[in-house]
Amino acid sequence: MTPLSGKKILITAGPTYEPIDPVRFIGNRSSGKMGYALADQLASMGAIVTLISGPVSIQCQQKNIHLIRVETAAQMYEACCDYFTEQMDIGIYAAAVADYTPKVVSDSKIKKNDEELQLTLVKTKDILKEMGQRKKEHQVLVGFALETDEEEYHAQQKLIKKNLDFIILNSLKDVGAGFAVDTNKITILDKYNKITKFELKAKTAVAIDIIDYLIPFIHA
Ligand code: CTP
């Protein structure tokens, strides 16, 4: 038995792809590695893991993970609404969700007729903020923040705005941190105003640090 045995955990991971026309989309550089490392580690410790994943080229190592594949921010939102129910104990939102999506998706391939092409983008739903509003007393909610300036200030604002227990900050200024690399350097800010900085390490080792931080937050 571990403190995670039987705990129901929802994790989001990877990027989202927002379609422009049948062949093009707006995406981002998220590899999904951090979210998948967390899912594998938690499942190996006896947790019941649901992983909602955007398009990635990696796979889960653990067989007992319930994987739900989505593509767009809207689909990820729908899946989170379906699965982040009162039965969930913990939500870890590691996905790099598109903040904007094309207002109109063309049914046919857009031809290069004009010198300029303008796309109108509309805001997507902030999934984590919505889940923060629904959060029940027994649930633990964890978010990520990827920042380039005034990193701790922005992470703190997200922690409060999204009603989180703690937030994991990655600074793109740190060499070896962020997207599409196997390492990460994180700082954790929690709702008790505690700030903990970690060394640069492999994402699999970072996953263990995050889980160690998570355990005292779990309700019996
Ligand atoms: N997030 C989410 N849904 C969105 C945008 C973000 O669930 N539409 C989640 C991410 O998974 C992450 C956290 O919110 O856990 C912070 O994401 P981030 O992109 O750093 O912040 P934003 O709230 O999008 O703010 P901004 O892009 O303006 O920095």
Side-chain angles (χ1 to χ4, degrees):
M1 287 284 280
T2 77
L4 290 152
S5 298
K7 292 291 174 198
K8 297 191 179 70
I9 307 182
L10 179 143
I11 300 172
T12 68
T16 63
Y17 285 180
E18 308 303 316
I20 297 170
D21 69 12
V23 290
R24 304 181 179 97
F25 60 85
I26 299 172
N28 64 65
R29 295 183 197 280
S30 170
S31 63
K33 283 178 183 164
M34 196 62 250
Y36 275 62
L38 280 162
D40 279 328
Q41 189 60 38
L42 287 162
S44 77
M45 295 170 81
I48 301 164
V49 178
T50 301
L51 176 61
I52 300 176
S53 174
V56 294
S57 58
I58 55 173
Q59 288 175 349
C60 302
Q61 301 303 311
Q62 298 289 321
K63 295 276 171 288
N64 54 345
I65 294 172
H66 181 198
L67 176 67
I68 296 153
R69 290 177 201 278
V70 297
E71 215 164 271
T72 65
Q75 290 166 356
M76 189 171 275
Y77 172 74
E78 289 303 324
C80 289
C81 290
D82 289 347
Y83 287 94
F84 196 67
T85 61
E86 286 186 28
Q87 272 71 52
M88 280 290 163
D89 299 300
I90 300 158
I92 304 176
Y93 289 78
V97 186
D99 289 330
Y100 292 91
T101 193
K103 188 174 184 181
V104 178
V105 181
S106 173
D107 288 336
S108 48
K109 188 182 169 208
I110 299 171
K111 304 301 281 176
K112 57 170 184 307
N113 294 329
D114 304 317
E115 282 308 308
E116 285 189 6
L117 174 70
Q118 292 204 345
L119 281 178
T120 303
L121 305 178
V122 290
K123 246 189 190 166
T124 57
K125 286 219 169 76
D126 188 326
I127 301 169
L128 183 51
K129 190 172 166 207
E130 291 249 352
M131 299 306 131
Q133 284 162 359
R134 292 171 194 205
K135 179 177 173 237
K136 299 283 181 277
E137 195 71 6
H138 71 278
Q139 293 179 316
V140 182
L141 209 55
V142 179
F144 278 75
L146 182 67
E147 306 290 344
T148 53
D149 322 271
E150 294 184 272
E151 294 94 328
E152 289 182 12
Y153 169 77
H154 288 300
Q156 192 91 45
Q157 293 301 306
K158 286 177 191 173
L159 172 83
I160 298 163
K161 199 171 83 183
K162 304 193 190 203
N163 192 23
L164 309 180
D165 289 279
F166 63 89
I167 191 159
I168 298 141
L169 166 66
N170 301 298
S171 169
L172 274 184
K173 282 185 183 156
D174 286 325
V175 178
F179 286 166
V181 286
D182 288 328
T183 52
N184 205 356
K185 188 170 187 304
I186 61 162
T187 300
I188 297 182
L189 298 91
D190 72 23
K191 63 179 177 183
Y192 306 113
N193 293 321
K194 194 171 151 209
I195 300 177
T196 312
K197 290 179 191 291
F198 294 82
E199 296 301 316
L200 179 76
K201 31 184 119 170
K203 282 185 178 167
T204 46
V206 174
I208 293 170
D209 286 340
I210 294 170
I211 294 165
D212 285 344
Y213 204 92
L214 171 70
I215 288 171
F217 281 83
I218 299 174
H219 301 263

